[in-house]
Amino acid sequence: MKPLFFRSLFLITATSLVAILSMGPASAEAKLGVGSKAPELKVEHWLQDGKGFFKPVTAFEKDKVYVVEFWATWCGPCVMSMPHLAELQNQYRGEKVQIVSISDEDPEEIKEFLKGENPDLEKTFDEITSAYSLTTDPDRSSHTDYMEAANQNGIPTSFVVGKTGQIEWIGHPMDLEEPLEAVVKGTWDRDAFKAQYEAEHRLEETLQEISMLAGSGKFDEAIKLIETEMANTDSEALKANLKDFRYSLLLSSGKVGDDVIAYYREQIGNMQGDPMQLGQFAYSLIGVVQQGGKAGPLVGEAVAALAPTVEKADAETQPLLYNILAQLAQIDKKLDQAIEFQTKAVEVSEERQKKRMQLYLDELQSEKEAK
């Protein structure tokens, strides 16, 4: 009986760590990066032009600043970024700044999308995007020249092209405000950002390697790589996340020494009163044991922390939490407690779930009777 919505601690930590980097994977050496000459645009369809203010762009003009952004109608974060792009374009209107947003969809599909309304602003997307240059390039030539060349796999992604026609910044459009202002004012430190950008990409590659090693059971090698990266980074925030990652691997591999126990005791304390966090952690302990590892006193401590919080969870989650508690109690060789928790799991389950919960309860009762 394994509640599927709970993920292992390793996966939770790994996912969070990769997310803070907010950079696409660099599976091959990028042909386009910060400082590169920006490729010309070969966009097929210009659907918005700032109400006649802007003209289609091919070659970038000297002393002008451009934002080249990649988006799609099906991309929620892209749609959410539209009001911000419009606000920035209006802010810099008349200051030689042009935002060019590029999709690869059929023009008719985009025109249909533009008829829809943003409920928060009570404006159509046609009204919102009319502030800047909204385009589509179905042959994906621009996508190839920018996204693929820069090893950017996710949208929305923005490229700031500076006054000399070079790429000054690459990132999420919601983070555009500060770099765009600095590029326009001439205070942007391209070299510093380039060093940061390239370091993050190298780290992304290392994290992918760590994840692959851990996924194939090579925990010692993965932990060694993390420790090397911790020694090489100057970012305290990143060191803290790498530390979390290292401890999750130690726990997942069953290396539960005194330092691991002390670390997770502190984490359990920080999770007090939160049934979801405690449930995820407790389920991770079950996974450790099922893989042949030992979780030591953390099993009993997780039970003690989670049990009082179950009734705070929603009705759908409570049976799963009681089931997790029952499994932990069984691991801790406390069958009476396991039976008590699983009985509660059966009681609070919906009819379609009761039979599955009852099967595990029967298993526990049979184990007790066999003793």
Side-chain angles (χ1 to χ4, degrees):
M1 177 66 80
K2 297 180 181 179
L4 298 179
F5 77 97
F6 284 107
R7 296 183 294 168
S8 75
L9 189 66
F10 163 68
L11 287 176
I12 293 166
T13 308
T15 302
S16 300
L17 184 56
V18 171
I20 66 165
L21 300 174
S22 66
M23 291 287 183
S27 56
E29 187 176 351
K31 298 175 184 176
L32 185 74
V34 178
S36 297
K37 179 177 171 57
E40 290 188 354
L41 294 180
K42 302 168 186 175
V43 176
E44 295 176 76
H45 306 281
W46 293 74
L47 307 178
Q48 296 274 31
D49 61 2
K51 297 181 180 177
F53 192 85
F54 299 110
K55 295 179 180 179
V57 178
T58 304
F60 297 107
E61 295 183 37
K62 187 180 178 182
D63 295 328
K64 288 189 176 181
V65 176
Y66 301 83
V67 175
V68 179
E69 187 242 6
F70 290 86
W71 74 287
T73 59
W74 48 262
C75 166
C78 302
V79 174
M80 289 175 63
S81 299
M82 287 176 167
H84 185 58
L85 290 172
E87 182 181 344
L88 286 174
Q89 184 62 91
N90 286 328
Q91 178 182 342
Y92 290 105
R93 186 177 294 273
E95 294 188 42
K96 297 183 178 180
V97 175
Q98 182 172 356
I99 296 175
V100 181
S101 230
I102 306 173
S103 175
D104 61 5
E105 297 163 284
D106 182 83
E108 296 308 315
E109 187 174 354
I110 293 177
K111 289 175 183 177
E112 188 62 32
F113 162 80
L114 292 176
K115 295 176 184 177
E117 185 176 278
N118 180 312
D120 294 328
L121 299 180
E122 296 183 349
K123 291 182 178 180
T124 66
F125 291 110
D126 181 73
E127 292 175 287
I128 295 168
T129 61
S130 66
Y132 56 95
S133 300
L134 192 77
T135 77
T136 188
D137 190 36
D139 72 1
R140 291 174 62 84
S141 57
S142 296
H143 187 279
T144 300
D145 290 344
Y146 280 84
M147 294 293 287
E148 292 181 21
N151 285 334
Q152 292 292 324
N153 296 332
I155 54 174
T157 295
S158 298
F159 298 77
V160 174
V161 181
K163 297 177 182 180
T164 60
Q166 292 169 281
I167 302 292
E168 301 286 349
W169 182 86
I170 303 172
H172 195 289
M174 295 303 289
D175 299 325
L176 262 171
E177 193 166 347
E178 287 186 19
L180 181 58
E181 179 182 15
V183 171
V184 171
K185 289 182 176 179
T187 60
W188 179 244
D189 190 337
R190 183 202 304 149
D191 290 339
F193 177 73
K194 180 179 180 179
Q196 173 192 334
Y197 178 82
E198 291 178 351
E200 287 176 341
H201 271 265
R202 287 194 299 272
L203 181 57
E204 177 83 11
E205 289 180 320
T206 301
L207 291 175
Q208 289 175 348
E209 186 178 353
I210 291 167
S211 297
M212 289 177 66
L213 287 169
S216 60
K218 298 178 180 178
F219 290 105
D220 289 343
E221 292 178 49
I223 291 166
K224 186 176 180 180
L225 261 180
I226 287 177
E227 290 169 348
T228 299
E229 202 59 50
M230 287 176 69
N232 291 337
T233 182
D234 295 326
S235 169
E236 292 303 318
L238 187 53
K239 280 182 182 178
N241 279 277
L242 286 166
K243 179 182 177 182
D244 289 343
F245 200 2
R246 176 179 175 274
Y247 275 113
S248 74
L249 288 182
L250 287 168
L251 184 61
S252 296
S253 61
K255 300 179 186 297
V256 186
D258 291 344
D259 60 329
V260 175
I261 290 170
Y263 178 79
Y264 280 111
R265 274 183 179 150
E266 182 180 350
Q267 297 304 305
I268 289 171
N270 294 336
M271 297 175 198
Q272 287 292 339
D274 188 328
M276 290 303 295
Q277 283 194 34
L278 288 166
Q280 287 173 334
F281 174 70
Y283 187 57
S284 294
L285 294 181
I286 294 169
V288 168
V289 175
Q290 288 175 341
Q291 293 168 24
K294 294 182 180 180
L298 293 174
V299 172
E301 292 173 24
V303 169
L306 176 59
T309 72
V310 176
E311 292 185 1
K312 296 180 181 179
D314 59 61
E316 183 181 349
T317 307
Q318 286 185 22
L320 303 176
L321 293 175
Y322 279 122
N323 175 250
I324 288 171
L325 286 166
Q327 292 183 71
L328 286 178
Q330 184 186 26
I331 289 168
D332 215 18
K333 301 188 184 306
K334 297 179 179 178
L335 272 179
D336 287 338
Q337 188 182 47
I339 289 169
E340 181 182 342
F341 285 135
Q342 192 61 20
T343 299
K344 287 288 294 182
V346 173
E347 288 175 357
V348 298
S349 293
E350 296 180 357
E351 284 307 313
R352 60 184 180 179
Q353 196 177 29
K354 272 189 194 296
K355 289 183 179 179
R356 291 189 292 118
M357 292 294 184
Q358 184 65 48
L359 287 173
Y360 182 48
L361 179 57
D362 294 343
E363 178 187 320
L364 291 171
Q365 290 171 333
S366 296
E367 183 178 340
K368 182 180 179 181
E369 291 168 6
K371 287 195 171 186

